[in-house]
Amino acid sequence: MSKRKDYLKWDEYFMGLAVMASLRSKDPNTQVGCCLVDNDNRILSLGYNGFPIGCSDDDFPWEREGKSSYDTKYNYVCHAELNAILNYKGTSLKGAKAYVNQFPCNECAKAIIQSGIKTIIYLDDKYASTDGVKSSKRMFTSAGVKFKKFKSPNKEIVIKI
């Protein structure tokens, strides 16, 4: 008897965790998850997009548009990458990898760079044409943060409970 051949590769495993984390988001439009991992493939932290602790999901707006930005989610939601960085309780994220199901925005890119994360593996880049994502890529390139699109031979991973 030999070992199983259909086990998840590291990238599949960590991206799966990022996607699972995204399912915790209560955002009706966009659910994003992030999994931070060290060079020894140890999970450091997880995060998903949502309101800060103490800010009720029922009292703050989830709308994308309003009379002003005050009436939209954008002034209040913490992105998955920032939450994962803030959730980390260790001493350093230097050299870590971030698995995210959406390419990071420019604000998260700043936090990623400042925290020492050196690799981004992303699932989707649907906002690639926006100035925010173009700015992220420019900063990542300048700061030596590598980014690559996630590729997997598996089109679907099914979890049965």
Side-chain angles (χ1 to χ4, degrees), residues 134-151:
K134 288 177 187 176
S135 298
S136 295
K137 291 176 181 176
R138 182 179 183 183
M139 287 187 283
F140 286 154
T141 300
S142 179
V145 176
K146 296 177 183 148
F147 51 93
K148 67 176 184 173
K149 184 160 179 52
F150 172 75
K151 291 186 177 125

Side-chain angles (χ1 to χ4, degrees), residues 38 40 53 58 62 68 83-84 100 121-122 128-129 135 137 156:
D38 72 11
D40 294 320
I53 295 169
D58 298 319
W62 285 111
S68 73
N83 269 329
V100 292
I121 297 98
Y122 64 93
S129 64
S135 298
K137 291 176 181 176
E156 186 176 74

Side-chain angles (χ1 to χ4, degrees), residues 2 5 11 16 24 26-27 58 63 71 93 100 130 154:
S2 62
K5 304 258 189 255
D11 281 354
R24 286 282 310 140
K26 294 171 185 83
D27 189 317
D58 298 319
E63 286 78 18
D71 299 315
L93 290 170
V100 292
T130 66
N154 297 316

Side-chain angles (χ1 to χ4, degrees), residues 5-113:
K5 304 258 189 255
D6 62 344
Y7 60 90
L8 293 176
K9 305 295 186 248
W10 285 119
D11 281 354
E12 293 171 314
Y13 177 60
F14 298 132
M15 186 58 75
L17 290 173
V19 170
M20 287 293 289
S22 78
L23 298 177
R24 286 282 310 140
S25 175
K26 294 171 185 83
D27 189 317
N29 298 299
T30 306
Q31 300 81 43
V32 181
C34 179
C35 178
L36 302 180
V37 179
D38 72 11
N39 287 323
D40 294 320
N41 292 320
R42 290 183 292 216
I43 299 162
L44 301 173
S45 184
L46 294 165
Y48 58 89
N49 59 314
F51 295 130
I53 295 169
C55 296
S56 172
D57 297 327
D58 298 319
D59 296 337
F60 285 83
W62 285 111
E63 286 78 18
R64 292 173 131 175
E65 296 179 13
K67 292 178 186 174
S68 73
S69 62
Y70 180 81
D71 299 315
T72 70
K73 65 182 180 177
Y74 300 110
N75 280 0
Y76 309 104
V77 169
C78 291
H79 287 184
E81 302 92 331
L82 183 59
N83 269 329
I85 290 167
L86 295 173
N87 288 340
Y88 179 60
K89 299 301 180 201
T91 57
S92 175
L93 290 170
K94 187 175 182 179
K97 293 181 276 189
Y99 289 81
V100 292
N101 59 317
Q102 287 292 329
F103 197 92
C105 73
N106 60 298
E107 291 299 318
C108 289
K110 294 178 218 176
I112 287 166
I113 293 164

